[in-house]
Amino acid sequence: LGLLPSREALAKTRRLVGHEKLKLDDSGAAELLAAEMKIDLGGIGKGYAVDRVADLLKAAGVISGLINFGGSSIYAIGSPPGQQGWEIGLQGTDGKLRGLTYLRDMALSTSGSMGHSWMVGGKRYGHLINPKNGMPMTQVRMATAITPTATAAEALTKPLVILGRSALSMTKELPQTEAVVIPEHGPMFFSSEFRSKSLWREVPAS
């Protein structure tokens, strides 16, 4: 901690990065094509666990419930009695409430660039790595995605945080998917139908 990788170490590691170096087959098996490669499923593992819990509850006949793994990965089964959905608050990068969404039979995931961070040479670096340059993020940003599964929502929030507003176009290619990007300063950026489909209600700044 307290140090950035050398150019040599960064270049060596980046040569091991890329989806084309991961081989998948129809049986569900995966093969890493470079000897020193590793896969960290932390970016989607919590979402996968949420989906499995949701499957178990639905199979048991549960028609109303909220599965909440620490606020960052959520799945809503049905809605509370007499309500339009489960009310979920979204925070800004400063921790203040920015608005409310209503979730029903959908998953929601939120990620931020500075969930864990370190100071190096007087500069703050976050825990998310930009795969284009191999460096940790310095921009302060959050993103929330709503999708049919928590696994997909978790996976989508990472590029949304890293790329920001420009990544919102990805939601158009994914079924039943909407998202919002919340920068450190200025307005929030929404996918085309996020506000209408999630019954978004903005909270005035205090």
Side-chain angles (χ1 to χ4, degrees):
L1 293 178
L3 295 173
L4 293 176
S6 66
R7 289 185 178 181
E8 294 76 14
L10 195 57
K12 180 181 179 182
T13 300
R14 290 184 65 197
R15 286 194 289 270
L16 302 175
V17 176
H19 66 87
E20 70 281 359
K21 301 179 181 70
L22 175 64
K23 181 181 178 182
L24 303 175
D25 63 35
D26 294 338
S27 70
E31 179 183 357
L32 304 178
L33 301 181
E36 297 178 322
M37 282 183 69
K38 295 180 180 179
I39 291 183
D40 182 350
L41 296 177
I44 63 170
K46 188 188 292 187
Y48 180 83
V50 167
D51 287 334
R52 300 291 73 75
V53 172
D55 290 342
L56 290 171
L57 292 178
K58 289 177 183 178
V62 173
I63 59 172
S64 177
L66 187 71
I67 304 160
N68 186 344
F69 277 32
S72 63
S73 194
I74 297 172
Y75 189 91
I77 300 174
S79 63
Q83 301 298 313
Q84 56 195 342
W86 293 91
E87 186 178 85
I88 309 295
L90 299 188
Q91 296 178 336
T93 60
D94 57 2
K96 294 181 179 178
L97 184 65
R98 297 297 299 272
L100 300 171
T101 68
Y102 292 86
L103 201 65
R104 181 183 181 124
D105 296 317
M106 295 285 280
L108 177 148
S109 176
T110 296
S111 292
S113 59
M114 298 295 168
H116 300 284
S117 63
W118 299 265
M119 296 297 295
V120 181
K123 193 171 185 178
R124 189 181 180 198
Y125 293 88
H127 70 291
L128 290 184
I129 304 297
N130 187 331
K132 290 186 175 181
N133 58 23
M135 292 294 291
M137 285 191 66
T138 56
Q139 302 96 329
V140 180
R141 189 181 293 140
M142 296 186 69
T144 293
I146 295 176
T147 72
T149 70
T151 306
E154 287 271 7
L156 182 58
T157 54
K158 279 56 177 189
L160 285 168
V161 171
I162 293 170
L163 298 175
R165 182 183 184 182
S166 64
L168 284 172
S169 59
M170 296 172 59
T171 61
K172 298 178 181 178
E173 303 174 15
L174 302 169
Q176 297 178 270
T177 298
E178 301 294 337
V180 56
V181 172
I182 306 177
E184 182 177 16
H185 304 292
M188 295 176 282
F189 301 105
F190 298 87
S191 60
S192 60
E193 296 185 80
F194 181 94
R195 283 171 283 197
S196 61
K197 289 189 174 179
S198 70
L199 304 176
W200 171 256
R201 182 155 59 91
E202 193 160 333
V203 174
S206 57

